[in-house]
Amino acid sequence: MKRIKHSKVKNTGLVFELLVRQVASDTMNNRDSKALRIIKKHYNSKSELSKELKLYRTVAEEKFVTESKAEKFVEAVLKARKDINESQLRRDKYNLIKDLKSNYIVEDFFKSRVKNYKLHASTYKLFEFAEADDPKEYVSSKFTLIEHVQNAPKKTESAPSLTSEHKDVRILASKMVVDKFNEKYSNLGASQKKMLKEYINNVTNSVKLRKYILKETSNLKDNITTLRSSIPSKVIKIKLNEVANLLSELSKKHIIEDKDVLTMLRYYELVNELKKIGSK
């Protein structure tokens, strides 16, 4: 009987969460993000890593009221995990780890505290080992997942907002990242928060992100055009015309870059300032 041990560096869900955190940090500090390139390279739709990540996220996000349903769900996830090409997954992880070591000091990269670490570790153990390897640890890990999945929110007045938040946050780290962003920018507006969530949630889905950016550039342009009439300064009006033109150019881009998201966050702030001026 071999001992079941958790490996942070081989934990697909944990590595992804830490990479997303790094992307957010790079974005906030206007740095070129190596983490974003790593995500796009290794967690693409065709990789086995992406398939396993989907299972990690499913375990973290799904909720069931009864223990029997939660238990059946966990069994279904474990069955789905067996359908992943194990040899290809090992190669994918090897290449991912190689890239991590090339770009970061691995010991420092994994120092960040992860709130749902126990869930990540338990999921990893169930995915990587069999019950016969260590029955006690295997069962303990399994019940960690079942208890998490069964932990549905109580039906109180605040439940709807909690449920809504849960649906908005599709990537495990995103709510945490938004909280960290708010620590730095305490006056972050609702539109800016939504933009940040969309960026994080769709970091590997450039088509969906571009679609959202297109919609928002149109909304921003309309807002700026409407609010421009309340500005007495001709110089500022000319500058606002330039901003509207820049938004039009942004809407024509085929590839959305990190700097474009930052630009959008700044334009939201501009609209907020224009509203304040107009209300005086």
Side-chain angles (χ1 to χ4, degrees), residues 19 22 26 34-35 38 99-106 109:
L19 282 169
Q22 188 61 50
D26 293 338
K34 294 180 286 187
I38 291 174
D99 258 5
L100 283 176
K101 290 181 177 179
S102 297
N103 289 283
Y104 299 100
I105 299 173
V106 176
F109 184 79

Side-chain angles (χ1 to χ4, degrees), residues 143-160:
F143 269 94
T144 296
L145 266 64
I146 293 172
E147 287 170 4
H148 174 82
V149 170
Q150 191 188 348
N151 187 25
K154 294 180 180 178
K155 293 183 179 180
T156 63
E157 291 183 4
S158 61

Side-chain angles (χ1 to χ4, degrees), residues 38-206:
I38 291 174
I39 288 175
K40 289 182 176 180
K41 178 180 177 182
H42 296 283
Y43 288 92
N44 61 74
S45 59
K46 296 179 181 179
S47 71
E48 297 302 297
L49 271 175
S50 182
K51 294 177 184 177
E52 188 177 54
L53 174 63
K54 185 177 180 180
L55 295 178
Y56 272 95
R57 291 170 60 185
T58 298
V59 167
E61 295 173 359
E62 294 296 338
K63 298 292 180 183
F64 295 90
V65 177
T66 66
E67 183 178 352
S68 60
K69 287 184 177 180
E71 191 170 351
K72 287 181 179 179
F73 168 75
V74 171
E75 289 292 348
V77 169
L78 295 178
K79 184 178 179 181
R81 174 59 177 75
K82 293 178 181 178
D83 292 334
I84 292 178
N85 186 320
E86 196 67 44
S87 59
Q88 182 59 50
L89 180 61
R90 282 197 297 270
R91 286 193 291 270
D92 287 350
K93 288 188 179 184
Y94 172 83
N95 291 325
L96 172 61
I97 294 168
K98 185 178 178 181
D99 258 5
L100 283 176
K101 290 181 177 179
S102 297
N103 289 283
Y104 299 100
I105 299 173
V106 176
E107 291 76 13
D108 293 340
F109 184 79
F110 285 98
K111 278 182 179 178
S112 299
R113 185 178 179 182
V114 178
K115 187 176 180 180
N116 53 353
Y117 179 83
K118 185 178 180 181
L119 180 65
H120 276 305
S122 296
T123 305
Y124 173 85
K125 291 174 182 177
L126 293 179
F127 283 179
E128 297 293 329
F129 298 95
E131 188 171 5
D133 293 326
D134 187 340
K136 182 179 178 180
E137 184 62 27
Y138 188 90
V139 170
S140 177
S141 297
K142 190 171 182 179
F143 269 94
T144 296
L145 266 64
I146 293 172
E147 287 170 4
H148 174 82
V149 170
Q150 191 188 348
N151 187 25
K154 294 180 180 178
K155 293 183 179 180
T156 63
E157 291 183 4
S158 61
S161 61
L162 290 171
T163 304
S164 175
E165 175 68 11
H166 180 71
K167 289 180 179 178
D168 279 342
V169 184
R170 296 300 181 186
I171 289 180
L172 301 181
S174 60
K175 185 178 183 300
M176 197 177 307
V177 170
V178 172
D179 290 343
K180 291 295 182 183
F181 198 100
N182 287 337
E183 286 176 15
K184 186 169 183 178
Y185 301 101
S186 58
N187 60 342
L188 203 65
S191 297
Q192 290 170 311
K193 290 178 182 179
K194 179 64 175 173
M195 170 59 69
L196 185 61
K197 285 182 182 180
E198 289 293 329
Y199 171 62
I200 296 169
N201 291 349
N202 298 300
V203 73
T204 59
N205 190 339
S206 57

